[in-house]
Amino acid sequence: MENKQTKQYNFTKIILSSNKSVLILKISEVKSVDKMNLRKLEELNNQHVTSVVQEAIQLCKPVKVTVITDSKEDINYVRELALTTGEEKKLKMEGHTIHFDGYYDQGRDKAHTKYLLSKDVDWGLGVNYIEKEKGLKEIYSYLDGSMAEKEMLVRFFSLGPTNSIFSIKALQITDSAYVAHSEDLLYRPGYEEFKRLVGSNDFFFFLHSAGRLKKGVSADIDKRRIYIDLEENRVYSVNNQYAGNSLGLKKLAFRLAIKKANEEGWLAEHMFIMGVHGPGGRVTYFTGAFPSACGKTSTAMIPGQTVVGDDITYFRKINGKVRAVNVESGIFGIIHSVNSEDDPLIYQALTTPRELIFSNVLINEGISYWLGMKHAIPNRGTNYSGEWFKGKKDSEDKEIDCSHKNARYTIRLNALENIDPKANDPAGVPVQAIIYGGRDSDTTMPVVESLTWSHGVFIGATVESETTAATIGTQGVRKHNPMANLDFISVPFKTYIENHLKFAYGLKEVPKIYSTNYFLKDEAGSYLNSKLDKRVWILWAEGRVYGEYEAIETPVGRVPKYEDLKTLFIRELDKDYTEAEYLQQFSLRVTKYLEKMERMSKIFKNVEMPAAFTEDLKAQTERLKEARTKFGEDIISPFKFLDT
Ligand code: SPV
Ligand code: MN
């Protein structure tokens, strides 16, 4: 009991110990909470909720506290408040608004996002942490009085469909109506869900303050901090507005979920979910993890298929099968290069009346413009740098683009015509295949099926994405990003991989695992594939789930047969796929693959890993070397593996 008290009040304990005279009030005595809002809190009948709200009030000292239920009136109140505070402005088209984040607040702040941990840890791969007591003191000092002139919003959400075994309840406290409004577009309402807790503390808690605002944007960016308390299922975020930093429910909740999943025997992954539509009306659900710029959204949005989610997935084993839900109900998508040719469904949603938020695009006469929209862009307007004109430079003499490369749109998933009918099913959808999508110009074949589940986990754990950094000349820089999840893994890396390996135990149907690479290039630097080709890869992968195509076994996995692709290219894209193209795309580049194996051996040399992973790395390296010896070639035609 003693222990519980200390835990519950660690907020106030720390404030008090930092020598400030804080009077601990009961929530009913707090002036900023009126009777109606108090009643809304009390109706939840949950002392844990009441006490965290009370602690947050005590710390942030808002002038007013508003509790938002799932009612239309309350949700509308948030929408209107974002306009009143000026965090969002109305655009010409009905329902559209624009929000700007500060010039230096345009992406996730990896350096200042840290776990609050009690002792020195070695998690294997990349973990950013701060000693807990020190971190709490620092962030409390920034949050202290942060809402002195602001209104505190208290919102309840469900991560995952409501009334579902998959889902987690989440409480968001913020002084940003933009944050609260964005979460309304991106997540399911959860006030009624909280009643289902019957008093338990099994919920995530997020406290955010945008901090001092100057011209509507967070002014104290040097004091931007995002601290994650895995032990208490809490995250504190201050002095920022960019959604990846400020919205507790997105990547912050995701980190808490990975830890919770680890403890409870399920998986939380940085993956989309899509329905792949095979022959005869068959729908096969795929999930996919792709580092940014590797084709995640374009895969989820392949024409003719349906989308369940585009960012975060919870998986469970139910009756020997893998099922999954989309944690979100909206999309916070990159707008760069969204245009009517390449992304017709998204473009349509962004250019018709509906509730949506643009962020960090260019606004001219109430209309949004962005890079790569394939539309004439005006020479002036307002963007994330303030008043903008073509040629404007920043303080470092860098020309400012009309829109930021990470400019975004926030919409509900049901704004898209291709939403899958099971997108909100509390039982989730059955998962029959998983894709790990990487990016390189010279190594990985466009689509490869793993040899086994464990080999598939190995493929996921060795995903690389090649960036074209100007400073490095023609050679790209390859960034290792296991399961596209490196930034978010909140358990030791070995444990994370073990959880993937173990997930197949006891399954009646083990999902197939594939890798994709849409970015192979020829010597002249031209892409070997068109943007549309991924439709063929995914339909081949879908057919393989049912054993409809034979495959060729190579040292790195199974690849399609030429005849099958030829048929699929004609059927799906009305395109003649030549044998020369096939050979260019599906020949095994042994030396390049061996170079990749070497990079991986180096990365994992000092990282404790499960034996199965180490064995897969060794076995694949050996298979590659054997093939090179056997065929005496650097690049081996897939036909050569046909009769082995
Ligand atoms: C990502 O970066 O993977 C995103 C956007 O989905 S953010 O909300 O910034 O995480
Ligand atoms: Mn993401």
Side-chain angles (χ1 to χ4, degrees):
M1 191 64 213
E2 169 65 38
N3 203 6
K4 228 177 177 180
Q5 279 288 346
T6 334
K7 267 194 158 176
Q8 227 172 324
Y9 288 95
N10 67 0
F11 250 125
T12 33
K13 215 186 102 200
I14 296 230
I15 308 166
L16 288 169
S17 69
S18 69
N19 214 7
K20 297 232 169 97
S21 52
V22 179
L23 189 66
I24 303 188
L25 295 173
K26 275 197 197 151
I27 200 151
S28 54
E29 294 164 2
V30 177
K31 279 208 205 79
S32 52
V33 189
D34 68 18
K35 281 218 170 71
M36 186 182 72
N37 284 289
L38 185 62
R39 203 173 52 238
K40 286 178 182 172
L41 266 188
E42 284 172 350
E43 268 176 25
L44 293 176
N45 219 351
N46 188 314
Q47 57 138 9
H48 303 284
V49 170
T50 313
S51 67
V52 290
V53 174
Q54 178 174 309
E55 288 174 29
I57 294 171
Q58 206 88 55
L59 180 61
C60 303
K61 307 177 182 66
V63 278
K64 184 179 173 192
V65 178
T66 305
V67 177
I68 307 296
T69 68
D70 301 344
S71 78
K72 267 203 180 116
E73 298 74 37
D74 283 8
I75 290 168
N76 199 37
Y77 176 82
V78 173
R79 201 158 43 228
E80 291 297 320
L81 189 65
L83 296 170
T84 320
T85 62
E87 287 173 281
E88 289 175 39
K89 290 197 168 59
K90 270 192 178 165
L91 295 176
K92 236 182 197 159
M93 199 161 284
E94 200 194 319
H96 292 201
T97 58
I98 171 73
H99 163 81
F100 291 115
D101 300 304
Y103 192 74
Y104 296 103
D105 191 21
Q106 295 287 316
R108 271 189 283 116
D109 182 353
K110 293 191 200 180
H112 294 104
T113 304
K114 298 181 184 176
Y115 295 108
L116 294 162
L117 297 173
S118 315
K119 50 185 184 310
D120 275 8
V121 287
D122 178 9
W123 282 1
L125 290 183
V127 52
N128 197 3
Y129 78 98
I130 182 165
E131 195 275 313
K132 187 161 169 175
E133 189 92 4
K134 188 172 154 209
L136 281 175
K137 265 196 182 149
E138 183 192 18
I139 204 151
Y140 288 171
S141 76
Y142 296 154
L143 284 164
D144 191 2
S146 58
M147 302 184 190
E149 286 157 30
K150 298 203 243 171
E151 177 170 348
M152 173 187 276
L153 297 170
V154 181
R155 289 211 69 166
F156 303 88
F157 293 101
S158 174
L159 290 159
T162 51
N163 206 5
S164 161
I165 182 182
F166 287 87
S167 300
I168 297 171
K169 290 146 188 76
L171 166 54
Q172 171 82 62
I173 295 186
T174 178
D175 59 10
S176 164
Y178 159 70
V179 166
H181 180 207
S182 297
E183 288 183 333
D184 194 59
L185 291 165
L186 296 175
Y187 302 93
R188 289 128 175 144
Y191 180 79
E192 294 305 319
E193 284 284 295
F194 263 71
K195 292 183 181 165
R196 292 206 180 97
L197 279 173
V198 265
S200 113
N201 67 350
D202 191 13
F203 61 87
F204 291 170
F205 168 49
F206 307 99
L207 175 58
H208 166 256
S209 169
R212 196 169 56 88
L213 299 180
K214 217 164 145 184
K215 290 189 183 161
V217 300
S218 294
D220 301 312
I221 285 296
D222 56 321
K223 298 192 180 103
R224 175 172 55 203
R225 298 288 182 274
I226 301 125
Y227 288 171
I228 302 154
D229 189 340
L230 294 169
E231 290 162 12
E232 304 277 336
N233 280 326
R234 292 179 174 198
V235 182
Y236 311 93
S237 172
V238 68
N239 294 319
N240 63 70
Q241 291 167 301
Y242 171 70
N245 297 317
S246 61
L247 267 65
L249 279 87
K250 204 158 181 68
K251 292 307 195 307
L252 308 176
F254 179 44
R255 294 168 207 240
L256 298 181
I258 290 178
K259 164 94 182 321
K260 190 173 165 71
N262 171 58
E263 282 157 6
E264 297 174 358
W266 48 278
L267 296 178
E269 293 300 320
H270 192 194
M271 290 188 185
F272 68 63
I273 311 176
M274 67 185 292
V276 179
H277 292 242
R282 178 174 79 198
V283 183
T284 310
Y285 290 96
F286 277 56
T287 65
F290 292 62
S292 56
C294 292
K296 189 181 187 185
T297 308
S298 59
T299 304
M301 300 293 293
I302 292 174
Q305 323 308 318
T306 46
V307 62
V308 177
D310 88 319
D311 201 28
I312 304 168
T313 295
Y314 293 166
F315 293 86
R316 279 180 185 265
K317 287 191 273 190
I318 297 171
N319 298 330
K321 290 191 181 166
V322 177
R323 298 191 75 89
V325 296
N326 178 14
V327 171
E328 310 184 289
S329 59
I331 301 186
F332 176 59
I334 295 182
I335 202 162
H336 184 229
S337 291
V338 169
N339 56 62
S340 57
E341 276 167 47
D342 298 328
D343 305 281
L345 299 175
I346 298 176
Y347 191 82
Q348 162 76 11
L350 299 185
T351 49
T352 45
R354 74 189 65 255
E355 188 180 353
L356 69 80
I357 309 170
F358 288 102
S359 44
N360 309 320
V361 298
L362 174 70
I363 304 297
N364 177 293
E365 296 186 9
I367 295 169
S368 335
Y369 300 89
W370 57 87
L371 290 169
M373 73 187 296
K374 295 194 179 165
H375 189 288
I377 292 175
N379 287 330
R380 51 185 62 246
T382 310
N383 78 357
Y384 67 107
S385 73
E387 282 314 301
W388 176 86
F389 51 89
K390 199 171 165 56
K392 182 178 176 182
K393 293 193 170 158
D394 68 10
S395 56
E396 280 143 38
D397 216 31
K398 210 178 131 251
E399 186 164 338
I400 302 170
D401 285 327
C402 72
S403 65
H404 194 274
K405 289 214 170 62
N406 194 32
R408 301 236 168 198
Y409 59 87
T410 305
I411 50 169
R412 292 200 170 90
L413 205 53
N414 64 14
L416 298 177
E417 283 169 21
N418 59 333
I419 184 173
D420 188 272
K422 293 197 177 134
N424 291 306
D425 193 329
V429 295
V431 176
Q432 290 176 276
I434 298 168
I435 305 176
Y436 292 111
R439 178 182 186 121
D440 68 60
S441 54
D442 56 16
T443 311
T444 319
M445 292 173 270
V447 63
V448 182
E449 180 188 304
S450 78
L451 299 170
T452 58
W453 174 264
S454 119
H455 181 239
V457 174
F458 164 78
I459 287 176
T462 54
V463 165
E464 287 183 308
S465 129
E466 189 180 320
T467 58
T468 26
T471 45
I472 312 286
T474 47
Q475 182 87 41
V477 185
R478 281 156 225 249
K479 285 195 181 163
H480 174 226
N481 193 348
M483 280 81 177
N485 218 356
L486 192 59
D487 290 350
F488 313 110
I489 296 173
S490 54
V491 293
F493 191 68
K494 181 185 182 198
T495 310
Y496 174 74
I497 295 300
E498 255 161 15
N499 290 340
H500 275 258
L501 291 166
K502 279 194 297 204
F503 204 65
Y505 296 175
L507 286 179
K508 282 186 252 165
E509 272 173 39
V510 180
K512 282 195 177 285
I513 301 181
Y514 301 91
S515 71
T516 59
N517 174 28
Y518 306 145
F519 306 95
L520 279 177
K521 287 182 180 173
D522 62 16
E523 287 78 31
S526 306
Y527 286 113
L528 291 183
N529 290 102
S530 96
K531 282 184 182 175
L532 301 175
D533 296 357
K534 51 176 87 77
R535 174 155 160 181
V536 167
W537 312 148
I538 206 154
L539 283 161
W540 176 79
E542 198 268 349
R544 281 288 300 162
V545 169
Y546 304 93
E548 284 172 1
Y549 305 112
E550 285 179 1
I552 304 173
E553 192 161 319
T554 80
V556 296
R558 300 189 186 98
V559 300
K561 283 186 148 181
Y562 172 63
E563 311 82 77
D564 294 329
L565 292 183
K566 192 174 172 62
T567 313
L568 275 164
F569 265 99
I570 290 194
R571 190 183 88 195
E572 294 299 323
L573 301 173
D574 198 18
K575 188 170 142 184
D576 181 29
Y577 184 65
T578 66
E579 198 173 296
E581 284 176 283
Y582 174 71
L583 283 175
Q584 246 189 329
Q585 294 162 14
F586 287 93
S587 286
L588 180 71
R589 297 146 190 255
V590 196
T591 308
K592 286 288 165 191
Y593 260 106
L594 279 167
E595 281 171 15
K596 174 167 178 172
M597 294 306 103
E598 206 138 293
R599 287 194 294 278
M600 292 305 134
S601 302
K602 229 176 175 173
I603 289 171
F604 289 106
K605 199 170 154 203
N606 298 313
V607 181
E608 217 195 318
M609 289 298 286
F613 173 87
T614 315
E615 276 156 28
D616 268 307
L617 177 58
K618 205 170 136 222
Q620 178 152 312
T621 308
E622 273 164 20
R623 288 194 301 269
L624 284 160
K625 285 184 179 162
E626 271 166 31
R628 190 163 60 179
T629 313
K630 180 169 175 189
F631 298 107
E633 282 171 333
D634 208 35
I635 297 175
I636 308 168
S637 151
F639 293 121
K640 296 212 168 160
F641 294 104
L642 262 178
D643 5 274
T644 55

